[in-house]
Amino acid sequence: MAFTLPELPWAKDALSPTISAETIDYHYGKHHKAYVDNLNKFAAGTKYESMSLEDVIKASAGQPSEKKIFNNSAQVWNHTFFWNSLAPKAGGDPKGAIAGAIDKAFGSFADFKTKFSEAAIGQFGSGWAWLVKNTDGSLAIETTPNAETPFATGKRCVLTLDVWEHAYYIDYRNARPKFVEAWWTLVNWDFANKNLA
Ligand code: MN3
């Protein structure tokens, strides 16, 4: 069974102008799709082709000889998680259980927002900023380079922000801080609450 490109959870122009339909055309229609196509190409005829996407990531993580499989499978998963971390007319103050969990871990939403933004802006080169739930239940901010994902190390991902240049170059050019600031108006707290539960 081939790996497939999941449908977007909203219309491709639904996040505009914060994230334009043109960015979605490239980021989802070309980059995300290419990870799916490459995963299918590299998995063909190997033990990976019959595994779930999640199992492929776990089985290939940390193994230099499996780098192509890991990079493409993790990027398929990371991007699907990223699209679900976004919603039209979302953002604002966190709602539900995630609000209390953020206060407990970071002191306040304002402090969390500052720390998460600094982490996302400070990630050198391509990568991701994450809100994760550790195995002890506490929340933490992490950044990962390239395709690396906290999911591969057994952590529960709660939210993510893609800070590869392809995520923002059409709409914000080189201004990653502007993209990070804008991201807060699209954060899907319902998705965060589902991941926290
Ligand atoms: Mn991307």
Side-chain angles (χ1 to χ4, degrees), residues 11 26 28 33 37 44 46 78-79 91 118 128 158 172 177 187 194:
Y26 278 83
Y28 170 76
K33 182 177 184 297
D37 292 346
T46 74
N78 289 346
H79 280 86
E118 283 173 357
W128 301 81
V158 178
Y172 300 91
V187 173
K194 265 186 231 163

Side-chain angles (χ1 to χ4, degrees), residues 163-185:
V163 293
W164 283 58
E165 277 191 349
H166 67 220
Y168 56 87
Y169 214 83
I170 292 170
D171 298 323
Y172 300 91
R173 295 300 170 193
N174 60 321
R176 187 191 290 184
K178 285 187 184 165
F179 172 61
V180 170
E181 185 60 34
W183 177 78
W184 292 102
T185 68

Side-chain angles (χ1 to χ4, degrees), residues 25-82:
D25 276 340
Y26 278 83
H27 197 176
Y28 170 76
K30 298 199 184 292
H31 291 280
H32 195 178
K33 182 177 184 297
Y35 296 127
V36 173
D37 292 346
N38 284 326
L39 176 59
N40 281 317
K41 189 171 80 183
F42 296 133
T46 74
K47 64 179 180 181
Y48 298 110
E49 71 180 349
S50 59
M51 290 183 186
S52 69
L53 180 67
E54 288 76 8
D55 286 344
V56 173
I57 295 168
K58 287 176 184 163
S60 60
Q63 299 188 57
S65 65
E66 310 299 289
K67 204 69 189 167
K68 284 179 179 176
I69 289 284
F70 175 78
N71 283 341
N72 286 284
S73 60
Q75 284 293 76
V76 172
W77 192 92
N78 289 346
H79 280 86
T80 302
F81 197 87
F82 176 56

Side-chain angles (χ1 to χ4, degrees), residues 76-122:
V76 172
W77 192 92
N78 289 346
H79 280 86
T80 302
F81 197 87
F82 176 56
W83 306 131
N84 282 292
S85 295
L86 304 170
K89 300 185 182 71
D93 290 340
K95 296 177 268 290
I98 190 73
I102 284 172
D103 286 347
K104 191 177 169 204
F106 306 102
S108 69
F109 175 55
D111 286 344
F112 165 64
K113 198 173 163 182
T114 300
K115 285 178 188 150
F116 188 94
S117 294
E118 283 173 357
I121 293 163

